[in-house]
């Protein structure tokens, strides 16, 4: 049976670990070719697992020139660009009063500027292709006013807004732009291998009684990358176990 992403070419940022690495694995399993990027060198071992269908690049999403290389690599290596998953992100908690200017700017740079630069770099290749799907990984923190994560929340609300604006702008080119809003997902971002007790405590705050796993997000990202979601653009797709209710 053909995979759900057969023939698609995708860029996935933040693919060294966590959700991005699992998205890359699932995309290849569904028939896609993938350019994986990250600031962490582990991105090369994830791509090596995936064989000829994958290539890894050292890439800081805040660097506009590096974005040019990423898109050129997709075109040179795989011939076109169908999908961009803006997944890279950073998370450092703190209330508004605790947040330093440096902490705020760091979130703005990676989580907001990085998403803008990615969309700007990828759109011309998608316009040339006559179609495309951009999936911006936001957060439940881009839909509600959760306390104690001020800089992160501000940057993720920007992702929600940019997604809607760009969905409007790129719709005439048949490029869809949607945002994905995970709740608490067990990745290195919120818990290391020794943080099982902390994860259990977090799980108790979730209406469905558990923290999420990467597969909870990956399934929705595959749907948005595929043609099965062809009537969705500018929309928010949430998987948070009911936390935002
Ligand atoms: N884990 C959660 O609970 C959760 C909840 C909501 C949203 N998210 C979002 O999901 C996305 C993936 O996060 P994750 O949970 O897999 O966390 P993670 O920390 O495991 O993965 C994030 C990846 O982004 C990379 N990255 C950071 N700064 C970068 C930069 N400047 N350039 C390129 N890559 C960079 C990191 O190296 C890392 O590999 C993020 O956008 C995050 O904000 C996560």
């Amino acid at each position: 049976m053909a995979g759900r992403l057969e023939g698609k070419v995708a860029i996935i940022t933040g693919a060294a670990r966590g959700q991005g690495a699992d998205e890359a694995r699932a995309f290849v399993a569904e028939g896609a070719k993938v350019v994986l990027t990250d600031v962490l060198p582990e991105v090369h071992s994830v791509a090596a697992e995936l064989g000829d269908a994958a290539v890894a690049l050292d890439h800081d999403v805040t660097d506009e020139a590096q974005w040019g290389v990423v898109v050129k690599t997709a075109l040179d290596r795989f011939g076109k660009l169908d999908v961009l998953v803006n997944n890279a992100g950073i998370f450092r908690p703190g209330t508004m009063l605790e947040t330093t200017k440096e902490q705020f700017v760091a979130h703005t740079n990676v989580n907001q500027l990085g998403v803008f630069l990615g969309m700007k770099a990828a759109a011309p290749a998608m316009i040339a292709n006559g179609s495309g799907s951009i999936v911006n990984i936001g957060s439940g923190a881009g839909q509600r006013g959760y306390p104690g994560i001020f800089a992160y929340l501000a940057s993720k609300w920007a992702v929600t807004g940019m997604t809607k604006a760009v969905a409007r702008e790129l719709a005439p080119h048949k490029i869809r732009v949607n945002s994905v809003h995970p709740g608490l997902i067990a990745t290195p971002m919120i818990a290391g291998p020794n943080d099982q007790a902390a994860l259990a405590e977090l799980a108790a705050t979730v209406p469905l009684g558990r923290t999420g796993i990467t597969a909870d997000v990956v399934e929705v990202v595959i749907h948005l990358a595929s043609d099965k979601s062809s009537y969705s653009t500018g929309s928010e797709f949430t998987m948070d176990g009911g936390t935002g209710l």
Side-chain angles (χ1 to χ4, degrees):
M1 211 174 77
R4 286 178 287 175
L5 300 177
E6 209 65 52
K8 301 276 189 203
V9 177
I11 294 168
I12 302 177
T13 66
R17 67 182 197 192
Q19 295 172 50
D22 281 352
E23 279 152 14
R25 293 181 181 109
F27 270 45
V28 169
E30 293 286 350
K33 307 270 196 281
V34 181
V35 179
L36 296 83
T37 86
D38 207 295
V39 285
L40 293 178
E42 289 84 349
V43 71
H44 295 280
S45 20
V46 178
E49 279 172 31
L50 303 174
D52 289 347
V55 59
L57 291 176
D58 301 308
H59 171 217
D60 182 337
V61 294
T62 68
D63 185 318
E64 190 164 22
Q66 287 182 18
W67 267 111
V69 176
V70 171
V71 171
K72 188 171 182 317
T73 300
L75 299 178
D76 290 351
R77 183 79 177 256
F78 301 126
K80 60 175 180 157
L81 178 61
D82 301 294
V83 180
L84 167 65
V85 183
N86 273 316
N87 167 76
I90 59 167
F91 171 69
R92 291 183 216 149
T95 64
M96 184 279 287
L97 286 174
E98 290 161 353
T99 298
T100 62
K101 178 180 165 187
E102 289 68 30
Q103 191 180 350
F104 189 87
V105 170
H107 283 84
T108 307
N109 281 341
V110 179
N111 298 357
Q112 178 176 355
L113 176 67
V115 169
F116 156 54
L117 293 178
M119 294 194 289
K120 186 167 169 136
M126 292 179 173
I127 290 170
N129 204 26
S131 67
S133 172
I134 297 174
V135 183
N136 292 327
I137 308 299
S139 169
Q143 298 175 301
R144 298 277 184 281
Y146 297 112
I149 52 172
F150 177 71
Y152 181 77
L153 181 139
S155 67
K156 290 298 189 179
W157 270 94
V159 172
T160 309
M162 289 192 296
T163 299
K164 294 184 194 309
V166 179
R168 284 262 182 178
E169 292 181 7
L170 296 184
H173 301 285
K174 307 288 177 255
I175 298 167
R176 300 180 296 105
V177 191
N178 291 288
S179 54
V180 167
H181 302 263
L184 296 162
I185 308 296
T187 70
M189 179 169 278
I190 61 164
N194 301 323
D195 297 333
Q196 292 315 305
L199 267 186
E201 232 171 80
L202 285 174
T205 68
V206 179
L208 282 180
R210 68 169 177 91
T211 49
I213 56 173
T214 56
D216 293 321
V217 184
V218 168
E219 191 58 29
V220 175
V221 175
I222 289 173
H223 174 67
L224 291 173
S226 83
D227 298 335
K228 295 283 186 196
S229 56
S230 61
Y231 204 48
S232 292
T233 196
S235 293
E236 299 168 34
F237 290 78
T238 304
M239 62 299 290
D240 68 355
T243 304
L245 291 171

